[in-house]
Amino acid sequence: GQQVMQIPQYQHVQEGEDFTTYCNSSTTLSNIQWYKQRPGGHPVFLIQLVKSGEVKKQKRLTFQFGEAKKNSSLHITATQTTDVGTYFCAGEHNDYKLSFGAGTTVTVRA
Amino acid sequence: ETGVTQSPTHLIKTRGQQVTLRCSSQSGHNTVSWYQQALGQGPQFIFQYYREEENGRGNFPPRFSGLQFPNYSSELNVNALELDDSALYLCASRAYNEQFFGPGTRLTVL
């Protein structure tokens, strides 16, 4: 079946450092979306990438979509305590099914 | 605030019972999706409705069913509840390229 794998599962980061979370799909995606979920909260949409090789930036966050539209990454620079939470990628296929990865849970050491 | 509301916020049921969860989307959002999120995992796609018709379904048995109404509200019905159905149930409405999640209903099956 269609699966989206996400690594690492946990990321412990020193405040001010950078980190990257990676997402891989077993099949080609029509688009990929990224969400952030704070503890006890619900997923909040961050961005959608549609084009092969697309790169988008939101302040300290950089999102990439691979050339084959099977992988994606989220890179955060100069991590802050407000970045704490779980980051999910979600791949959408042409049949409207959205497959979420297991998420990367980020903790920040001050 | 996403403008997506869900009720109830918490619910406790016993095995074998039936449950109905409700979601109210933003006006104009014709697409609503339902997800099941077990503790520590990513949301799992249950199904999606567009203009009151189901147009996508994940790997969930037929005892998971839904309805979407003209007033942008929707329901998720689960029959013959099982212990493994205990989870956070999220609905999400879609506008263009962005998906808005509601706060979720926490279902516990005893």
Side-chain angles (χ1 to χ4, degrees):
Chain A
Q2 298 156 339
Q3 284 192 332
V4 172
M5 308 300 292
Q6 192 174 352
I7 57 169
Q9 185 177 0
Y10 297 99
Q11 185 79 56
H12 307 290
V13 190
Q14 180 71 42
E15 190 173 16
E17 290 184 341
D18 303 350
F19 74 91
T20 304
T21 174
Y22 300 90
C23 189
N24 287 286
S25 169
S26 57
T27 57
T28 301
L29 302 168
S30 60
N31 68 76
I32 195 155
Q33 300 165 27
W34 285 88
Y35 294 81
K36 178 182 178 180
Q37 186 172 21
R38 292 183 181 274
H42 57 272
V44 174
F45 178 87
L46 294 176
I47 209 161
Q48 176 177 281
L49 304 172
V50 179
K51 300 176 183 176
S52 170
E54 189 170 14
V55 178
K56 287 188 177 180
K57 291 190 176 184
Q58 287 181 351
K59 296 183 180 177
R60 295 180 294 104
L61 279 60
T62 301
F63 303 85
Q64 287 189 310
F65 201 10
E67 294 292 338
K69 299 184 72 172
K70 285 186 175 183
N71 62 287
S72 181
S73 65
L74 160 59
H75 181 77
I76 298 182
T77 59
T79 304
Q80 300 176 358
T81 55
T82 54
D83 295 326
V84 164
T86 300
Y87 293 83
F88 292 100
C89 63
E92 186 167 18
H93 303 88
N94 292 330
D95 57 2
Y96 304 112
K97 295 181 184 179
L98 196 63
S99 300
F100 276 76
T104 294
T105 298
V106 176
T107 54
V108 179
R109 299 189 302 272
Chain B
E1 291 297 324
T2 63
V4 180
T5 60
Q6 291 187 243
S7 62
T9 53
H10 295 84
L11 197 56
I12 299 175
K13 291 285 189 178
T14 56
R15 195 169 45 182
Q17 285 189 310
Q18 178 268 341
V19 69
T20 298
L21 309 181
R22 295 181 171 82
C23 172
S24 180
S25 305
Q26 290 189 43
S27 176
H29 290 193
N30 294 320
T31 302
V32 66
S33 303
W34 284 88
Y35 295 85
Q36 179 195 69
Q37 186 175 26
L39 202 59
Q41 298 183 20
Q44 299 296 309
F45 177 79
I46 302 175
F47 44 57
Q48 176 172 281
Y49 279 79
Y50 175 69
R51 292 188 174 180
E52 302 164 50
E53 291 203 6
E54 184 181 299
N55 72 341
R57 189 175 183 93
N59 296 325
F60 281 81
R63 60 189 184 84
F64 285 77
S65 63
L67 286 171
Q68 185 186 25
F69 304 100
N71 65 351
Y72 305 106
S73 66
S74 64
E75 290 181 355
L76 165 63
N77 299 288
V78 187
N79 294 322
L81 283 166
E82 301 177 359
L83 298 180
D84 286 348
D85 295 334
S86 295
L88 179 68
Y89 288 86
L90 297 158
C91 75
S93 68
R94 179 175 293 202
Y96 304 105
N97 294 332
E98 191 164 345
Q99 189 162 231
F100 300 89
F101 278 86
T105 294
R106 173 73 62 187
L107 173 65
T108 302
V109 182
L110 303 176

